[in-house]
Each structure stands twice: as C-alpha cells, then as structure tokens.
Amino acid sequence: MTTPATTDKALLEKDRRAFLLVWIALSAATVLAWLLAPGEPESSADLGWGPAAAIVLLGLVKCRLIIRYFMEVRHAPRWLQTATDAWLAVLWITLLGIYLFWPGSQ
Amino acid sequence: MTGTATRGTPRRSPDRDRRLPGDIDMWVMVLGDLFFFGCYFVTYMVFRALSVEEFSAAQRHLNIGIGVTNTVILLTSSVFAALGVIAVREGALKKAERLLLATGACGVLFTLLKVHEWHSEITQGYTIQDEFFSFYYVLTGVHLAHLVLGLLILGIAVRELRDPRGRRPGIIEQSVLFWHMIDLLWVVIFAILYLMR
C-alpha cells in the first residue's frame, strides 16, 4: 500500500494522542450530562433552564469534538468547517430554544 | 520535526494542508443525513413542547443507564476507527484491520444493547401507541439502520485492507467518516430523548 508521501510520523503520533484525549473528554462529558439529568422514574423534577442549557452545551461540545477531531474537519477546507459549525449552532440553539421558550413547555 | 521549530508558529507540513477527509461524495451523503436528521430532531422537540407532560412522563421510563453505556460504546468505537485511519497512514495494515474490527465489535454490542432495551420497553407496554415512544422507536430505529449500514461499510473497508491489490486509503477514510456520523447523530439522540426530559 502506498502511504502518502507527506506522512509524518510525529504528526501522526500527535493525532493519536489528540484522539485519545478527545475520547476521554467525550466520555467524561457524557457522564457529567447524565449527572445533570433528573433521576429515575419516580423523580418528577423537570430540568431547570440551567441543567438544560448545560446538557445542550455539553452536547454541542461533544458533537464539535467528534466533527473537528474524529472526522478531521479541523484540517478540512473552510467551507466544510463553516457548514458543520452552522449545522451545530442552528440545531442546538433551536432545540434549547424550543425546550425552554415554547409556550407551556416549562 | 523539532519542538522549537513549532513553538509560536505551528508548522504546516504538506500533510496539514487543508484537505477533504474521505471524498466529496461521502460528504454530500453525511451533510444530507445531518440536515434531515436535524429536521427530525427539531420536529420531535416541537411535538414534545406541545405535550410536555406526556412526553416527560414517558421519557422517565427509558433506561438512562443503557443510554449512557451505549453512548460510551459508540464513542469508543469512534476512537478505534480514528486510530485505524492513523494506522493505515502509517502503513500498519494489520493493526488497522484489528482496530476496524474492534470498531465493528462495539457496533454489534451497541445493537445488542439497543435490541435488549427495545424488548424490555415493549414487554412493559411502551409501544408506538404512545406519542413519545413512536418518536423514540423511529429515531432510534432509523439510527440503528444507519449503524447496520455502517457495519457493512466497515466490512468493505476490512476487505479492502486484506486485498493486496486494493488498500486505498481513501476507501478507509470514507468508511470511517460514515461511522463517525453515526456516533455524532447518537450524541444528539441521547441528549434529546434520554436527558432533556
């Protein structure tokens, strides 16, 4: 197999470390978001705006880490970075807006 | 590369020139999928807002522990896949194959847990007659269909690695890109179905 002539072992090693750190951050963010959510079926508490915003923020950060690092968009052309960031921002802001501000939703 | 050379002014080797990971065809599919899933996520949230009490009560019957476990499983599968691409670039093809197989194993584990979760919910009487659960089964079902397709694509990538006449890095990148999209979509599904209740 012909590897790209531009392959640089040091850069690949750097990427490997970055991927492992991102994986740790993603897993930690998942557990943190779980702790923010209300408890088991007997719990009747709704999310307040604070935990809801925190869960959305954690979700957005997780998605961006996956896109930027795992999907390698951080080295991609700018149009793709803009398109994926726009999707993330529009989606998560809309979801949070509906959750918090739709009449009667809270 | 020397450490001092990179301080302050990050070096841009040719490898770091801006380039499209995978290829444009896969990105059209990924961006299209993200758009349509995004529309569906927003639709779900509007329906939830219209019947917030009913949705919130139904959401509390989901097993959040399984949701968290499945999220970590998919995140782990994604890091295996990403490391697999690095292994391909290094020319370590056997290692790449093992990493892609580990990715697939995580996908199978996710599927088994999801089927167990569905079975448990259906036997408790939570079916599509409930509005929340109709969204739940469709969202998680369409996602699982993508995951099964992802497993098939991973299989093609492994076959490519085993074929001495093949072994095109682009094919591996495309396969892994699709897999990351499955992980990405699950992160949103997990948040809106399991956490935002």
Side-chain angles (χ1 to χ4, degrees):
Chain A
M1 177 178 193
T2 53
T3 53
T6 54
T7 296
D8 181 322
K9 289 277 180 196
L11 287 174
L12 291 175
E13 192 52 45
K14 196 173 160 189
D15 281 348
R16 196 190 326 268
R17 279 199 304 273
F19 288 160
L20 289 171
L21 287 173
V22 165
W23 173 67
I24 291 168
L26 288 167
S27 302
T30 301
V31 174
L32 182 59
W34 179 18
L35 297 176
L36 289 168
E40 296 310 308
E42 61 271 17
S43 165
S44 60
D46 282 325
L47 282 180
W49 71 267
I55 286 170
V56 162
L57 184 64
L58 285 169
L60 191 152
V61 168
K62 282 163 70 180
C63 287
R64 197 164 191 272
L65 284 173
I66 292 169
I67 290 172
R68 288 277 163 158
Y69 284 85
F70 290 169
M71 297 171 99
E72 300 190 293
V73 170
R74 65 194 168 128
H75 303 308
R78 285 202 191 282
W79 68 264
L80 187 55
Q81 295 180 342
T82 307
T84 49
D85 277 347
W87 179 79
L88 280 175
V90 171
L91 175 68
W92 285 105
I93 290 170
T94 306
L95 293 176
L96 182 63
I98 295 169
Y99 185 86
L100 289 180
F101 302 119
W102 192 277
S105 66
Q106 275 282 289
Chain B
M1 182 165 105
T2 63
T4 50
T6 59
R7 282 186 202 286
T9 52
R11 188 185 73 160
R12 265 204 178 271
S13 76
D15 191 44
R16 296 300 189 186
D17 285 344
R18 292 193 185 284
R19 60 178 284 275
L20 197 66
D23 72 353
I24 188 66
D25 297 334
M26 183 53 85
W27 272 107
V28 168
M29 181 166 174
V30 167
L31 292 176
D33 250 17
L34 292 184
F35 175 76
F36 286 112
F37 264 94
C39 292
Y40 199 36
F41 296 150
V42 171
T43 304
Y44 161 78
M45 204 51 107
V46 169
F47 273 76
R48 185 190 180 282
L50 292 172
S51 312
V52 69
E53 294 293 331
E54 293 81 357
F55 272 63
S56 191
Q59 281 176 279
R60 290 200 173 84
H61 295 295
L62 293 182
N63 187 330
I64 198 166
I66 293 184
V68 170
T69 308
N70 259 346
T71 305
V72 174
I73 288 171
L74 269 196
L75 293 172
T76 306
S77 77
S78 256
V79 80
F80 283 147
L83 294 174
V85 169
I86 291 183
V88 169
R89 289 173 186 161
E90 287 174 334
L93 301 185
K94 275 287 164 201
K95 184 177 173 186
E97 189 183 321
R98 282 197 298 272
L99 284 163
L100 292 189
L101 288 173
T103 305
C106 288
V108 171
L109 191 57
F110 178 96
T111 306
L112 293 174
L113 267 175
K114 179 51 69 190
V115 169
H116 165 73
E117 192 183 11
W118 281 344
H119 180 261
S120 166
E121 282 148 5
I122 290 168
T123 52
Q124 289 177 69
Y126 304 125
T127 63
I128 55 168
Q129 289 182 333
D130 177 282
E131 195 173 26
F132 165 74
F133 276 98
S134 68
F135 272 103
Y136 166 81
Y137 287 118
V138 172
L139 266 173
T140 55
V142 173
H143 177 265
L144 194 66
H146 277 72
L147 190 142
V148 171
L149 180 61
L151 286 175
L152 182 70
I153 293 173
L154 279 180
I156 294 169
V158 169
R159 188 167 163 234
E160 180 83 10
L161 284 173
R162 287 177 178 170
D163 180 3
R165 292 166 302 172
R167 298 175 175 175
R168 290 160 290 180
I171 296 287
I172 313 300
E173 280 189 11
Q174 286 173 46
S175 312
V176 166
L177 189 58
F178 186 81
W179 190 264
H180 292 316
M181 183 196 72
I182 295 164
D183 187 18
L184 178 64
L185 291 172
W186 178 257
V187 167
V188 186
I189 291 171
F190 172 65
I192 63 174
L193 294 184
Y194 292 79
L195 300 179
M196 296 176 77
R197 53 191 193 178

